[in-house]
Amino acid sequence: MSALAPRADLESLPKYVPGRTIEGAIKLASNEVPGGPLPSVTKAIAEAAAGINRYPDTASSALVARLARELDVPAAKLAIGCGSVSLCQQLIQALCAPGDEVIFAWRSFEAYPIVTQVANAVSVKVPLSSGHALDLDAMLAAITPKTRIVFVCNPNNPTGTAVRRDELIRFLDAVPEGVLVALDEAYKEFVSDTNVPDGVEFTHTRENVAVLRTFSKAYGLAGLRVGYLVAPEAIATAVRQVYVAFSVNAVAQAAAIASLDAAGELLERCAEIVVERDRVRAALVEAGYEVPETQANFVWLPLGDKALAFAEHALDRKLIVRPFAGDGVRVTIGTPEENDLFLAAAREFPR
């Protein structure tokens, strides 16, 4: 009898590399917001923690109802997941048979190739434009009869670049009806350009558009893992069918609802981050760096082969940034003081 072994293709599975955490260093690597939960959210977390001897509502009924009111969409078009990355994988599992294709830009969210392969689908990577943005024409040209999903990360992680309304509508008009366009809007709350659309509006009129969002970024709940999807009812139902039962815990559900109730105050903090983001980018450009316009809570330095050296240079100054070998460095916007320390390190980097 042969020895039991895992799937042969797992050896080639890309590894997700989280941002490093080092005691005493400033972490600007994981796109977290610098402020913790608001007092009202902390109170909701404490109250929910008192009941953790009970299983959570696996349907997240209260959160679904709250989101349905917030977004003005039917509850049947919503699905809740353990962060939006879990929903990315659920989408592929729900829509793709083995060998079906999933298209996404590259470089984009590094979990896309991982969750695609885990779900036995095939990754199709489409290079970014020369301006570090999604090349929608090239993504459209990559669609084949085997394509089931196209991920459009807007704003794109890690470059921060965003797709505007007119170009997105042209793209959606051209995508075949049998292909789902998944608009990954993890950084939606940091968008300041009014020409960058709210993807949920497209779900009202199109049957092949889904939107993914998260409470990890703007809402400051990265440690609790909760996200949501808005999609045509049949798609949302299928995504819920492949959900791992109880994976969105009761504390996370309560915190998400409390965060929506405090959205005004939280979005004020996002506005402060946007001001800092624009200041940091302007300072980097003035220092001679190429930095694409960003609509997220981070900046992208396309340093190519110098990416790892820059990250080590920053680490020597107790700053943790996120390098992508051979491509560039993503730097999260922190507090003004943290950003000033980063800018000083960037000016010192030999180029």
Side-chain angles (χ1 to χ4, degrees):
M1 180 180 295
S2 60
L4 191 62
R7 282 168 42 182
D9 70 316
L10 291 186
E11 287 294 325
S12 64
L13 187 70
K15 304 296 188 293
Y16 184 87
V17 181
R20 299 167 68 182
T21 299
I22 299 173
E23 188 174 352
I26 296 169
K27 187 180 180 185
L28 303 175
S30 297
N31 302 341
E32 301 148 332
V33 291
L38 295 175
S40 60
V41 178
T42 301
K43 182 173 182 289
I45 289 171
E47 291 174 353
I52 59 173
N53 58 309
R54 304 297 183 187
Y55 283 104
D57 173 11
T58 195
S60 300
S61 305
L63 177 55
V64 166
R66 182 70 178 80
L67 282 167
R69 294 195 303 272
E70 185 81 16
L71 301 170
D72 192 25
V73 299
K77 297 180 73 171
L78 286 160
I80 308 299
C82 188
S84 57
V85 64
S86 174
L87 289 162
C88 289
Q89 182 167 318
Q90 288 172 239
L91 260 181
I92 300 168
Q93 289 172 319
L95 268 67
C96 294
D100 283 344
E101 295 175 348
V102 176
I103 294 174
F104 46 85
W106 199 252
R107 182 171 287 275
S108 192
F109 183 31
E110 62 183 306
Y112 292 153
I114 301 172
V115 296
T116 298
Q117 186 172 337
V118 166
N120 282 309
V122 176
S123 294
V124 178
K125 298 179 180 179
V126 177
L128 296 171
S129 72
S130 58
H132 313 287
L134 303 191
D135 188 338
L136 294 186
D137 289 338
M139 294 173 75
L140 187 64
I143 294 174
T144 75
K146 290 186 176 182
T147 304
R148 296 288 284 149
I149 301 173
V150 180
F151 281 105
V152 175
C153 192
N154 197 33
N156 186 47
N157 175 16
T159 62
T161 52
V163 175
R164 271 62 182 184
R165 177 180 301 278
D166 289 348
E167 59 180 325
L168 182 57
I169 289 174
R170 285 195 300 270
F171 176 75
L172 294 176
D173 286 344
V175 172
E177 292 181 358
V179 175
L180 180 76
V181 178
L183 301 175
D184 188 345
E185 296 184 342
Y187 301 93
K188 170 68 176 66
E189 293 83 2
F190 302 104
V191 172
S192 57
D193 186 339
T194 57
N195 286 321
V196 179
D198 181 327
V200 172
E201 69 180 74
F202 299 114
T203 68
H204 297 308
T205 57
R206 297 175 185 265
E207 291 300 311
N208 68 333
V209 174
V211 173
L212 298 147
R213 300 245 178 99
T214 182
F215 286 92
S216 295
K217 309 303 182 185
Y219 291 93
L221 301 181
L224 287 179
R225 313 304 306 126
V226 57
Y228 63 92
L229 169 137
V230 184
E233 186 172 342
I235 301 298
T237 299
V239 167
R240 292 193 296 269
Q241 284 181 303
V242 296
Y243 169 72
V244 176
F246 307 118
S247 61
V248 180
N249 67 70
V251 175
Q253 293 178 40
I257 293 170
S259 295
L260 288 169
D261 291 341
E265 192 172 351
L266 284 165
L267 294 178
E268 285 180 11
R269 300 200 306 189
C270 291
E272 294 170 1
I273 291 171
V274 166
V275 171
E276 275 297 288
R277 173 194 77 196
D278 294 345
R279 179 180 77 89
V280 169
R281 177 178 181 266
L284 289 168
V285 171
E286 184 179 357
Y289 286 90
E290 177 193 358
V291 186
E293 180 186 349
T294 172
Q295 290 292 311
N297 69 329
F298 52 84
V299 292
W300 173 249
L301 282 64
L303 294 170
D305 292 339
K306 294 183 178 179
L308 295 180
F310 184 94
E312 288 302 316
H313 168 84
L315 189 57
D316 288 343
R317 288 150 183 79
K318 295 190 179 300
L319 297 161
I320 305 171
V321 297
R322 182 70 171 87
F324 297 84
D327 287 331
V329 176
R330 188 190 67 200
V331 185
T332 306
I333 300 301
T335 65
E337 296 75 18
E338 292 169 343
N339 298 332
D340 285 342
L341 291 171
F342 163 70
L343 289 171
R347 293 185 186 104
E348 295 170 355
F349 182 66
R351 283 172 290 144

